[in-house]
Amino acid sequence: MEEAIAYLYKKDPVFEQISQQYGVPVQPKRPQGFRTLVLLILEQQVSIDSAKATFNKLITAIPNFFPEVVIHFSEENFRACGVSRQKTKYIKALSQAILSKELDLDCLAYKTPELVREELIKIKGIGNWTIDIYLMFCLNSLDIIPLGDIAVVNTMKELFDIHTKEEMEIYAQKWKPYRSVATYFLWHYYLEKRGRKITY
């Protein structure tokens, strides 16, 4: 990460300004596997804290949190844990894909980000944002820019005065091959400026 930070300082002075103002960001890490993907599904379009609260209810209700157990948990029980009907379908689709061997999560660590995306995008309810975060947090992919993330988009609007995702994609090319680390800086700025702390 130090090499990436030094590289970004040279490429774009904004990163050094962020670190002078708020310090250097941490690299978020989560374990690979089923549990993390379920948590990411829960995090879609809601706050991390809210999703974690729901996830904690779910793993309390299902102590053996494996696809073969989760797939038989009823919709009513999911709802009692605070999971929407749609996200229940997504979690069950993920469980089914693993059980049917359509998806082998252990093998993803040995594949390129492009192949990981190809495999995960086939699962109902797993879109590019979820894949981006899994690649960054779990598979240590260093060159991802998650433009489906509202905090990233809003921070780029504020810091660079660019307003479309197409322009953001083009602008972020200068941060290659460390766009993930650039993203950690953008999140860090977004949260620190608002006085918010998040444990990934």
mmCIF file of all heavy atoms in Angstrom, residues 143-170:
data_model
loop_
_atom_site.group_PDB
_atom_site.id
_atom_site.type_symbol
_atom_site.label_atom_id
_atom_site.label_comp_id
_atom_site.label_asym_id
_atom_site.label_seq_id
_atom_site.Cartn_x
_atom_site.Cartn_y
_atom_site.Cartn_z
ATOM 1 N N ASP A 143 -6.923 -2.367 -8.419
ATOM 2 C CA ASP A 143 -7.244 -1.434 -9.506
ATOM 3 C C ASP A 143 -8.734 -1.413 -9.839
ATOM 4 O O ASP A 143 -9.142 -1.586 -10.985
ATOM 5 C CB ASP A 143 -6.422 -1.789 -10.756
ATOM 6 C CG ASP A 143 -6.399 -0.654 -11.763
ATOM 7 O OD1 ASP A 143 -6.447 0.520 -11.339
ATOM 8 O OD2 ASP A 143 -6.350 -0.934 -12.976
ATOM 9 N N ILE A 144 -9.549 -1.183 -8.814
ATOM 10 C CA ILE A 144 -11.011 -1.127 -8.988
ATOM 11 C C ILE A 144 -11.497 0.278 -8.621
ATOM 12 O O ILE A 144 -11.081 0.844 -7.617
ATOM 13 C CB ILE A 144 -11.715 -2.152 -8.058
ATOM 14 C CG1 ILE A 144 -11.160 -3.561 -8.265
ATOM 15 C CG2 ILE A 144 -13.235 -2.110 -8.229
ATOM 16 C CD1 ILE A 144 -11.487 -4.223 -9.568
ATOM 17 N N ILE A 145 -12.381 0.829 -9.441
ATOM 18 C CA ILE A 145 -13.040 2.103 -9.087
ATOM 19 C C ILE A 145 -14.548 1.865 -9.088
ATOM 20 O O ILE A 145 -15.162 1.690 -10.134
ATOM 21 C CB ILE A 145 -12.627 3.261 -10.036
ATOM 22 C CG1 ILE A 145 -13.300 4.574 -9.658
ATOM 23 C CG2 ILE A 145 -12.831 2.927 -11.502
ATOM 24 C CD1 ILE A 145 -12.672 5.318 -8.536
ATOM 25 N N PRO A 146 -15.171 1.763 -7.906
ATOM 26 C CA PRO A 146 -16.592 1.385 -7.840
ATOM 27 C C PRO A 146 -17.528 2.584 -8.056
ATOM 28 O O PRO A 146 -17.990 3.224 -7.110
ATOM 29 C CB PRO A 146 -16.727 0.827 -6.416
ATOM 30 C CG PRO A 146 -15.696 1.575 -5.623
ATOM 31 C CD PRO A 146 -14.589 1.921 -6.573
ATOM 32 N N LEU A 147 -17.820 2.862 -9.313
ATOM 33 C CA LEU A 147 -18.644 4.035 -9.612
ATOM 34 C C LEU A 147 -20.132 3.786 -9.380
ATOM 35 O O LEU A 147 -20.958 4.647 -9.686
ATOM 36 C CB LEU A 147 -18.366 4.508 -11.046
ATOM 37 C CG LEU A 147 -16.960 5.106 -11.243
ATOM 38 C CD1 LEU A 147 -16.723 5.464 -12.705
ATOM 39 C CD2 LEU A 147 -16.731 6.315 -10.350
ATOM 40 N N GLY A 148 -20.460 2.636 -8.810
ATOM 41 C CA GLY A 148 -21.824 2.413 -8.327
ATOM 42 C C GLY A 148 -21.956 2.812 -6.866
ATOM 43 O O GLY A 148 -23.016 2.651 -6.259
ATOM 44 N N ASP A 149 -20.872 3.343 -6.298
ATOM 45 C CA ASP A 149 -20.859 3.705 -4.877
ATOM 46 C C ASP A 149 -21.122 5.196 -4.736
ATOM 47 O O ASP A 149 -20.381 6.029 -5.259
ATOM 48 C CB ASP A 149 -19.491 3.350 -4.274
ATOM 49 C CG ASP A 149 -19.479 3.513 -2.768
ATOM 50 O OD1 ASP A 149 -19.290 4.659 -2.293
ATOM 51 O OD2 ASP A 149 -19.666 2.509 -2.063
ATOM 52 N N ILE A 150 -22.184 5.536 -4.011
ATOM 53 C CA ILE A 150 -22.638 6.926 -3.924
ATOM 54 C C ILE A 150 -21.592 7.828 -3.278
ATOM 55 O O ILE A 150 -21.412 8.980 -3.673
ATOM 56 C CB ILE A 150 -24.001 7.016 -3.185
ATOM 57 C CG1 ILE A 150 -24.621 8.401 -3.349
ATOM 58 C CG2 ILE A 150 -23.899 6.645 -1.731
ATOM 59 C CD1 ILE A 150 -25.236 8.642 -4.688
ATOM 60 N N ALA A 151 -20.857 7.299 -2.284
ATOM 61 C CA ALA A 151 -19.838 8.122 -1.617
ATOM 62 C C ALA A 151 -18.692 8.449 -2.574
ATOM 63 O O ALA A 151 -18.174 9.574 -2.577
ATOM 64 C CB ALA A 151 -19.309 7.414 -0.371
ATOM 65 N N VAL A 152 -18.292 7.493 -3.395
ATOM 66 C CA VAL A 152 -17.237 7.725 -4.386
ATOM 67 C C VAL A 152 -17.696 8.771 -5.396
ATOM 68 O O VAL A 152 -16.973 9.729 -5.705
ATOM 69 C CB VAL A 152 -16.847 6.408 -5.104
ATOM 70 C CG1 VAL A 152 -15.938 6.672 -6.300
ATOM 71 C CG2 VAL A 152 -16.171 5.457 -4.126
ATOM 72 N N VAL A 153 -18.900 8.608 -5.912
ATOM 73 C CA VAL A 153 -19.432 9.534 -6.923
ATOM 74 C C VAL A 153 -19.537 10.948 -6.353
ATOM 75 O O VAL A 153 -19.087 11.928 -6.974
ATOM 76 C CB VAL A 153 -20.806 9.030 -7.438
ATOM 77 C CG1 VAL A 153 -21.513 10.107 -8.253
ATOM 78 C CG2 VAL A 153 -20.617 7.774 -8.277
ATOM 79 N N ASN A 154 -20.103 11.081 -5.156
ATOM 80 C CA ASN A 154 -20.275 12.414 -4.567
ATOM 81 C C ASN A 154 -18.938 13.087 -4.266
ATOM 82 O O ASN A 154 -18.790 14.299 -4.422
ATOM 83 C CB ASN A 154 -21.124 12.335 -3.289
ATOM 84 C CG ASN A 154 -22.593 12.110 -3.612
ATOM 85 O OD1 ASN A 154 -23.026 12.331 -4.749
ATOM 86 N ND2 ASN A 154 -23.368 11.670 -2.643
ATOM 87 N N THR A 155 -17.956 12.282 -3.823
ATOM 88 C CA THR A 155 -16.640 12.846 -3.509
ATOM 89 C C THR A 155 -15.921 13.290 -4.776
ATOM 90 O O THR A 155 -15.267 14.341 -4.794
ATOM 91 C CB THR A 155 -15.794 11.828 -2.716
ATOM 92 O OG1 THR A 155 -16.520 11.459 -1.545
ATOM 93 C CG2 THR A 155 -14.463 12.414 -2.296
ATOM 94 N N MET A 156 -16.043 12.519 -5.840
ATOM 95 C CA MET A 156 -15.426 12.934 -7.104
ATOM 96 C C MET A 156 -16.083 14.201 -7.653
ATOM 97 O O MET A 156 -15.397 15.083 -8.183
ATOM 98 C CB MET A 156 -15.473 11.796 -8.130
ATOM 99 C CG MET A 156 -14.512 10.671 -7.789
ATOM 100 S SD MET A 156 -14.315 9.432 -9.104
ATOM 101 C CE MET A 156 -13.263 10.317 -10.266
ATOM 102 N N LYS A 157 -17.386 14.316 -7.491
ATOM 103 C CA LYS A 157 -18.064 15.559 -7.897
ATOM 104 C C LYS A 157 -17.489 16.747 -7.126
ATOM 105 O O LYS A 157 -17.191 17.800 -7.697
ATOM 106 C CB LYS A 157 -19.573 15.452 -7.622
ATOM 107 C CG LYS A 157 -20.336 14.614 -8.617
ATOM 108 C CD LYS A 157 -21.805 14.558 -8.227
ATOM 109 C CE LYS A 157 -22.577 13.648 -9.164
ATOM 110 N NZ LYS A 157 -23.984 13.457 -8.716
ATOM 111 N N GLU A 158 -17.340 16.553 -5.823
ATOM 112 C CA GLU A 158 -16.879 17.645 -4.968
ATOM 113 C C GLU A 158 -15.422 18.011 -5.218
ATOM 114 O O GLU A 158 -15.079 19.187 -5.356
ATOM 115 C CB GLU A 158 -17.056 17.243 -3.492
ATOM 116 C CG GLU A 158 -16.602 18.319 -2.526
ATOM 117 C CD GLU A 158 -16.690 17.879 -1.075
ATOM 118 O OE1 GLU A 158 -17.448 16.932 -0.752
ATOM 119 O OE2 GLU A 158 -15.985 18.492 -0.246
ATOM 120 N N LEU A 159 -14.551 17.014 -5.287
ATOM 121 C CA LEU A 159 -13.112 17.294 -5.364
ATOM 122 C C LEU A 159 -12.640 17.662 -6.765
ATOM 123 O O LEU A 159 -11.685 18.418 -6.915
ATOM 124 C CB LEU A 159 -12.316 16.074 -4.871
ATOM 125 C CG LEU A 159 -12.425 15.731 -3.379
ATOM 126 C CD1 LEU A 159 -11.627 14.467 -3.070
ATOM 127 C CD2 LEU A 159 -11.934 16.879 -2.505
ATOM 128 N N PHE A 160 -13.303 17.100 -7.789
ATOM 129 C CA PHE A 160 -12.797 17.284 -9.152
ATOM 130 C C PHE A 160 -13.774 18.017 -10.069
ATOM 131 O O PHE A 160 -13.454 18.262 -11.229
ATOM 132 C CB PHE A 160 -12.428 15.920 -9.761
ATOM 133 C CG PHE A 160 -11.521 15.105 -8.882
ATOM 134 C CD1 PHE A 160 -11.983 13.954 -8.247
ATOM 135 C CD2 PHE A 160 -10.212 15.494 -8.648
ATOM 136 C CE1 PHE A 160 -11.154 13.203 -7.429
ATOM 137 C CE2 PHE A 160 -9.375 14.755 -7.832
ATOM 138 C CZ PHE A 160 -9.844 13.614 -7.215
ATOM 139 N N ASP A 161 -14.952 18.338 -9.537
ATOM 140 C CA ASP A 161 -15.963 19.054 -10.321
ATOM 141 C C ASP A 161 -16.283 18.329 -11.629
ATOM 142 O O ASP A 161 -16.381 18.932 -12.697
ATOM 143 C CB ASP A 161 -15.499 20.498 -10.593
ATOM 144 C CG ASP A 161 -16.658 21.368 -11.094
ATOM 145 O OD1 ASP A 161 -17.807 21.080 -10.729
ATOM 146 O OD2 ASP A 161 -16.403 22.312 -11.864
ATOM 147 N N ILE A 162 -16.391 17.001 -11.526
ATOM 148 C CA ILE A 162 -16.847 16.227 -12.677
ATOM 149 C C ILE A 162 -18.133 15.503 -12.280
ATOM 150 O O ILE A 162 -18.271 15.069 -11.144
ATOM 151 C CB ILE A 162 -15.773 15.234 -13.189
ATOM 152 C CG1 ILE A 162 -15.136 14.446 -12.043
ATOM 153 C CG2 ILE A 162 -14.707 15.950 -13.975
ATOM 154 C CD1 ILE A 162 -14.051 13.491 -12.487
ATOM 155 N N HIS A 163 -19.056 15.412 -13.222
ATOM 156 C CA HIS A 163 -20.425 15.096 -12.803
ATOM 157 C C HIS A 163 -21.084 13.912 -13.498
ATOM 158 O O HIS A 163 -22.208 13.560 -13.172
ATOM 159 C CB HIS A 163 -21.300 16.349 -12.955
ATOM 160 C CG HIS A 163 -20.859 17.452 -12.035
ATOM 161 N ND1 HIS A 163 -21.303 17.573 -10.736
ATOM 162 C CD2 HIS A 163 -19.959 18.443 -12.216
ATOM 163 C CE1 HIS A 163 -20.715 18.597 -10.165
ATOM 164 N NE2 HIS A 163 -19.892 19.149 -11.026
ATOM 165 N N THR A 164 -20.410 13.289 -14.442
ATOM 166 C CA THR A 164 -20.995 12.078 -15.032
ATOM 167 C C THR A 164 -20.056 10.902 -14.766
ATOM 168 O O THR A 164 -18.835 11.081 -14.621
ATOM 169 C CB THR A 164 -21.195 12.216 -16.558
ATOM 170 O OG1 THR A 164 -19.912 12.221 -17.199
ATOM 171 C CG2 THR A 164 -21.963 13.480 -16.909
ATOM 172 N N LYS A 165 -20.626 9.714 -14.742
ATOM 173 C CA LYS A 165 -19.805 8.526 -14.484
ATOM 174 C C LYS A 165 -18.805 8.292 -15.613
ATOM 175 O O LYS A 165 -17.711 7.788 -15.375
ATOM 176 C CB LYS A 165 -20.698 7.307 -14.263
ATOM 177 C CG LYS A 165 -21.434 7.394 -12.934
ATOM 178 C CD LYS A 165 -22.137 6.125 -12.544
ATOM 179 C CE LYS A 165 -22.878 6.309 -11.226
ATOM 180 N NZ LYS A 165 -23.673 5.157 -10.858
ATOM 181 N N GLU A 166 -19.192 8.680 -16.819
ATOM 182 C CA GLU A 166 -18.273 8.527 -17.953
ATOM 183 C C GLU A 166 -17.021 9.390 -17.736
ATOM 184 O O GLU A 166 -15.893 8.928 -17.925
ATOM 185 C CB GLU A 166 -18.956 8.932 -19.280
ATOM 186 C CG GLU A 166 -20.048 8.005 -19.750
ATOM 187 C CD GLU A 166 -21.356 8.141 -18.952
ATOM 188 O OE1 GLU A 166 -21.572 9.181 -18.293
ATOM 189 O OE2 GLU A 166 -22.151 7.178 -18.990
ATOM 190 N N GLU A 167 -17.236 10.637 -17.311
ATOM 191 C CA GLU A 167 -16.100 11.537 -17.045
ATOM 192 C C GLU A 167 -15.253 11.016 -15.883
ATOM 193 O O GLU A 167 -14.025 11.112 -15.896
ATOM 194 C CB GLU A 167 -16.603 12.939 -16.701
ATOM 195 C CG GLU A 167 -17.210 13.705 -17.857
ATOM 196 C CD GLU A 167 -17.832 15.014 -17.379
ATOM 197 O OE1 GLU A 167 -18.743 15.000 -16.522
ATOM 198 O OE2 GLU A 167 -17.389 16.076 -17.868
ATOM 199 N N MET A 168 -15.939 10.473 -14.868
ATOM 200 C CA MET A 168 -15.218 9.931 -13.708
ATOM 201 C C MET A 168 -14.346 8.743 -14.110
ATOM 202 O O MET A 168 -13.206 8.617 -13.672
ATOM 203 C CB MET A 168 -16.208 9.518 -12.612
ATOM 204 C CG MET A 168 -16.894 10.700 -11.963
ATOM 205 S SD MET A 168 -18.178 10.190 -10.787
ATOM 206 C CE MET A 168 -18.966 11.780 -10.482
ATOM 207 N N GLU A 169 -14.902 7.895 -14.944
ATOM 208 C CA GLU A 169 -14.166 6.718 -15.434
ATOM 209 C C GLU A 169 -12.896 7.162 -16.171
ATOM 210 O O GLU A 169 -11.805 6.624 -15.954
ATOM 211 C CB GLU A 169 -15.065 5.908 -16.379
ATOM 212 C CG GLU A 169 -14.466 4.624 -16.883
ATOM 213 C CD GLU A 169 -14.447 3.509 -15.857
ATOM 214 O OE1 GLU A 169 -15.498 3.165 -15.305
ATOM 215 O OE2 GLU A 169 -13.342 3.009 -15.611
ATOM 216 N N ILE A 170 -13.044 8.181 -17.017
ATOM 217 C CA ILE A 170 -11.903 8.695 -17.785
ATOM 218 C C ILE A 170 -10.879 9.340 -16.843
ATOM 219 O O ILE A 170 -9.673 9.084 -16.937
ATOM 220 C CB ILE A 170 -12.377 9.708 -18.853
ATOM 221 C CG1 ILE A 170 -13.194 8.977 -19.941
ATOM 222 C CG2 ILE A 170 -11.205 10.454 -19.475
ATOM 223 C CD1 ILE A 170 -14.050 9.881 -20.797
#
